[in-house]
């Protein structure tokens, strides 16, 4: 049961936008046991698309195409589908009404010719109705391959994948069992972990594979088991994860790949009815924005003071000028003072504070580029740690954010 | 002059991570006139990689491979290169010293066996020396195709692309001219723009192509000209952009694809020596973190108060309880009060404030999900606007962030 995901668009091939759709689709397919064999990005060129379709015809069971369904002239997927399936476009009444509704109701303007054309679909296509946008999805079959076309706008694509594509594929195809288990670890490097679990890894059964997914400050370990006996897969996976936990218990923060640390943290805080605030300098509000991306975060996250300028540390966080002069803005003392101050201002149980120099140039302090201080204020006091996250700027900020989340997470676990 | 970019890793094919490397590489190649024909993501499977190499051999000039060079067991790219080039691995002295330096110097621990293995490279490979990491890049040639292998860690890949790959490719190949011009527009939808510029678009010369790149709240228009006469391309591009500017001048914010609005805004503020702060509720600090991602932002961005909880609006922004009760937390009055308050606290010329309900559930207010108020405080006063950005949560936050940046940008242009 194999699928190929195709994303269409010159903007992808010149690197102007990053393709996030393929990843979302692959994850959804994987959950129902459909393996993505390849992801391919190709240009808005009809010949190129047709050649690719022909290569895949009868080689894979499903071809999912995103992009090229928008309202504008550079969208050619629909015409290409017509040519490949020797079909013609007809106006779909239901879609036309829907498009009218969105344009006239939501955008409060009359429908344009270009909008009208979105209601055209190939006669042989099964329409995948797009409730959240104006571009319809299409399902067409040729011999042993299903070709599915979806709009490129991420939330429209997601809506159709979740509500139309996945249910339809799950009904049409018999699928093998795939069991994944991700182990989220924080604060230790890939190669060190590999050394520690080498013997365990060497003794994994052949139907279970391990992958390392390193990113700044954290490594995800992913186990994948494939087979026909679902119970066996689940049992063996459970056993292997328990063995692994014995080896690296100290760095494991969670087991759900859909649960980054900010989500796990949010659940802990909600359960224990605890609250959190942040005072951010070098991370510039990124910790706050990550925390608030989690639905329901208003239960435990009260807010943040982004004191990017030194003066803001005085004016908003009431750090005294003296201690700012005595210690540098990038110092343990100032970071701890910031954490205590925001904890008090926001009336929260815990607070995180960051200061540092992310580069490329030195800022208000003469701290080395890459230097970051992270302070954690708890109901019992405050502590801080110094780090050097190297370069470049993006890496320093990202590592500071994940390290801060790791420190607060471990602190809250202690309670 | 065609290239294919291959990313290797099961984690990509199951949708666990999004491939951002291909996009970076494609952009770098495009700048030196090398067109990316396809991007392909395949599994960590040796046979699959070998098959893909064979298909591409002599079909494209360059094959760039990322991933599968890390220190751990699931990395098989190096072995696969050896097999494809009928070669063997030998220890590279310089790389070994470099790896030792990083592990012992930076991580302060003895080098492990797994680290040592990173110094192994195929005998026929030209080593692309990785100054910023432990996995070396490789350049190997077979008949008419160059195969380049790069580590998957983004900042290591970027270092090698910028410092080794691009210079080497630029020297080796003669390349056609490609001229791109991106026009950044804010605040109008794709299909409306298309209507307005339809006649202009229909009359574009055949060697210039237009693409629409919509994202929440903004549309990028990209013109691409290809040919052998560089002067002609530049002249025609200039002419077409001037004609376009006459048609949609009111929504154009910039012309540099590498300059999102936060960068353009930053330059304007720096030039006029103006300062900015934000008070964020529904955007949760995302405006601040976007602004501070720009190097040098400390010159003009002073900080932010993320008053996520209503109480924080009282405690930190000193919004009186009365007016909070009189008007809802999601209202023009409160948003304007937040903007004025943070402007004063941070002593800035301008301030942005956001309140709203991003969903999925209603928060401290009974405002409809998707409702967002954005206020702009200027040296002369304050104003606000109400929006409904629909659903889901991620879209509401993203659209609120880009709309806020658009409003402040236009305000500062007026000065």
């Amino acid at each position: 049961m194999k699928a190929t995901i195709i994303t269409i668009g010159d903007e992808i091939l010149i690197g102007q936008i990053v393709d996030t759709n393929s990843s979302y689709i692959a994850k959804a397919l994987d959950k129902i046991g459909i393996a993505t064999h390849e992801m391919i990005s190709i240009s808005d060129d009809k010949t190129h698309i047709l050649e690719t379709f022909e290569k895949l015809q009868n080689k894979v069971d499903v071809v999912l195409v995103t992009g090229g369904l928008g309202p504008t002239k550079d969208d050619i997927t629909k015409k290409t589908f017509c040519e490949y399936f020797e079909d013609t476009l007809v106006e779909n009444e239901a879609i036309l009404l829907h498009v009218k509704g969105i344009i006239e109701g939501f955008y409060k303007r009359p429908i344009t010719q270009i909008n009208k054309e979105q209601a055209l679909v190939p006669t042989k296509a099964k329409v995948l109705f797009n409730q959240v946008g104006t571009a319809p999805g299409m399902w067409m079959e040729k011999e042993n391959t299903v070709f599915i076309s979806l709009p490129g706008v991420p939330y429209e694509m997601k809506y159709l994948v979740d509500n139309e594509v996945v249910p339809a594929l799950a009904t049409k195809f018999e699928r093998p069992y795939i069991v994944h288990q991700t182990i989220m670890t924080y604060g230790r490097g890939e190669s060190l972990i590999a050394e520690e679990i080498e013997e365990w890894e060497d003794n994994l059964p052949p139907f279970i594979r391990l992958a390392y997914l390193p990113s700044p400050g954290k490594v995800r370990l992913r186990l994948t088991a494939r087979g026909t006996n679902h119970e066996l897969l689940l049992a063996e996976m459970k056993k292997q994860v328990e063995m692994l936990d014995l080896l690296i218990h100290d760095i494991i923060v969670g087991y759900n790949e859909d649960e980054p640390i900010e989500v796990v943290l949010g659940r802990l805080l909600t359960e224990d009815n605890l609250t959190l605030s942040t005072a951010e300098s070098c991370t510039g509000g990124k910790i706050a924005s990550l925390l608030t991306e989690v639905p329901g975060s208003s239960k435990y996250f009260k807010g943040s003071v982004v004191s990017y300028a030194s003066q803001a540390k005085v004016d908003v966080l009431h750090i005294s000028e003296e201690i700012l002069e005595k210690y540098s803005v990038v110092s343990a003392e100032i970071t701890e003072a910031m954490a205590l101050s925001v904890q008090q201002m926001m009336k929260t149980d815990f607070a995180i504070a960051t200061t540092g120099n992310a580069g490329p140039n030195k800022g208000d302090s003469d701290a080395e580029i890459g230097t970051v201080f992270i302070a954690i204020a708890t109901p019992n006091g405050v502590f801080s740690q110094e780090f050097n996250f190297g370069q470049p700027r993006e890496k320093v900020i990202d590592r500071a954010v994940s390290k801060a989340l790791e420190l607060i997470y471990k602190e809250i676990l202690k309670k």
Side-chain angles (χ1 to χ4, degrees), chain A:
Chain A
M1 185 62 218
K2 287 196 303 187
T4 293
I5 300 167
I6 302 175
T7 47
I8 294 176
D10 292 347
E11 65 275 17
I12 295 170
L13 290 172
I14 67 162
Q16 200 159 23
I17 68 165
V18 170
D19 163 36
T20 55
N21 287 353
S22 299
S23 172
Y24 186 89
I25 295 168
K27 187 181 267 183
L29 294 179
D30 180 77
K31 286 208 177 103
I32 56 169
I34 299 176
T36 298
H37 181 64
E38 283 186 353
M39 296 171 175
I40 308 175
S41 298
I42 57 178
S43 65
D44 295 330
D45 174 76
K46 194 190 260 185
T47 324
H48 196 169
I49 301 172
L50 289 172
E51 280 170 11
T52 311
F53 282 6
E54 273 145 24
K55 270 190 223 142
L56 295 169
Q57 177 72 53
N58 299 326
K59 296 274 185 312
V60 294
D61 308 280
V62 187
V63 175
L64 281 120
V65 184
T66 76
L69 286 182
T72 52
K73 291 188 189 310
D74 61 319
D75 298 317
I76 46 110
T77 307
K78 216 149 62 172
K79 297 167 200 131
T80 311
F81 263 66
C82 273
E83 185 163 330
Y84 188 68
F85 287 91
E86 290 149 344
D87 201 353
T88 52
L89 292 170
V90 287
E91 184 171 281
N92 179 300
E93 202 46 48
I95 298 173
L96 185 60
L97 277 172
H98 172 67
V99 172
K100 270 195 147 124
I102 290 181
I103 300 298
E104 295 171 358
F106 187 71
Y107 291 104
K108 309 260 184 271
R109 61 172 176 84
I111 185 168
T112 67
Q113 182 52 35
I114 287 176
N115 295 134
K116 281 206 189 80
E117 284 164 15
Q118 299 218 269
L120 298 175
V121 287
T123 62
K124 301 175 189 166
K126 173 172 170 271
V127 170
L128 306 174
F129 203 84
N130 179 359
Q131 291 288 2
V132 298
T134 55
M138 301 179 290
W139 170 300
M140 301 183 79
E141 300 186 12
K142 197 168 193 178
E143 291 164 26
N144 305 317
T145 306
V146 178
F147 291 80
I148 298 169
S149 166
L150 301 170
V153 179
Y155 65 89
E156 297 184 21
M157 174 280 301
K158 289 177 186 174
Y159 171 84
L160 283 174
V161 167
D162 297 346
N163 298 283
E164 297 286 336
V165 175
V166 163
L169 288 173
T171 318
K172 185 178 171 67
F173 293 102
E174 285 217 343
R175 292 151 283 117
Y177 293 105
I178 300 181
V179 176
H180 290 297
Q181 180 61 63
T182 301
I183 299 95
M184 319 279 289
T185 76
Y186 266 71
R188 194 170 303 159
E190 182 181 8
S191 60
L192 262 191
I193 296 174
E195 294 277 321
E196 289 172 8
I197 65 176
E198 185 167 21
E199 194 186 339
W200 167 83
E201 183 175 353
D202 292 340
N203 292 308
L204 280 172
F207 57 88
I208 297 189
R209 291 187 61 185
L210 171 70
Y212 292 79
L213 287 63
S215 47
K218 54 193 171 188
V219 176
R220 284 179 298 174
L221 302 172
R222 184 175 40 77
L223 290 166
T224 308
R226 253 170 230 273
T228 50
N229 181 338
H230 198 205
E231 282 57 40
L232 173 74
L233 297 183
L234 292 170
E236 187 62 27
M237 183 65 86
K238 188 168 178 296
K239 184 178 134 214
Q240 293 299 337
V241 171
E242 284 164 1
M243 288 165 66
L244 181 64
D245 183 79
L246 294 175
L247 298 171
I248 52 169
H249 182 77
D250 58 319
I251 57 170
I252 295 177
V253 299
Y255 292 96
N256 185 341
E257 64 162 293
D258 298 326
E259 283 196 343
I261 193 164
E262 62 270 20
V263 175
V264 183
L265 183 63
R267 201 175 48 245
L268 285 179
L269 291 164
T270 311
E271 283 166 5
D272 300 351
N273 201 6
L274 297 168
T275 56
L276 178 64
S277 60
T278 70
E280 306 186 47
S281 186
C282 65
T283 52
K286 199 159 189 177
I287 299 173
S289 74
L290 209 58
L291 290 169
T292 55
E293 276 173 21
V294 181
S297 47
S298 55
K299 279 194 212 68
Y300 51 85
F301 181 70
K302 295 310 166 192
S304 174
V305 173
V306 181
S307 56
Y308 204 58
S310 301
Q311 193 56 41
K313 297 179 177 67
V314 177
D315 298 337
V316 185
L317 286 172
H318 314 302
I319 311 284
S320 80
E321 307 254 10
E322 298 142 43
I323 79 157
L324 258 183
E325 295 207 351
K326 185 167 170 206
Y327 313 100
S328 140
V329 278
V330 179
S331 66
E333 291 77 4
I334 300 302
T335 317
E336 291 178 9
M338 287 168 62
L340 290 170
S341 171
V342 78
Q343 177 189 36
Q344 191 180 35
M345 292 173 85
M346 299 275 184
K347 303 196 180 92
T348 54
D349 303 301
F350 291 85
I352 306 169
T354 63
T355 64
N357 182 357
N361 311 312
K362 295 198 166 188
D364 287 356
S365 91
D366 48 15
E368 201 184 317
I369 290 171
T371 305
V372 173
F373 286 87
I374 300 173
I376 303 291
T378 76
N380 317 319
V382 64
F383 69 90
S384 67
Q385 278 186 50
E386 177 176 3
F387 303 91
N388 189 305
F389 294 135
Q391 289 192 45
R393 183 179 179 85
E394 60 180 298
K395 178 185 153 202
V396 175
I397 295 173
D398 287 348
R399 289 195 62 184
V401 169
S402 35
K403 179 57 76 174
L405 292 172
E406 175 197 342
L407 291 177
I408 187 73
Y409 167 80
K410 290 188 168 157
E411 204 49 41
I412 284 160
L413 272 193
K414 288 191 198 148
K415 295 207 40 96

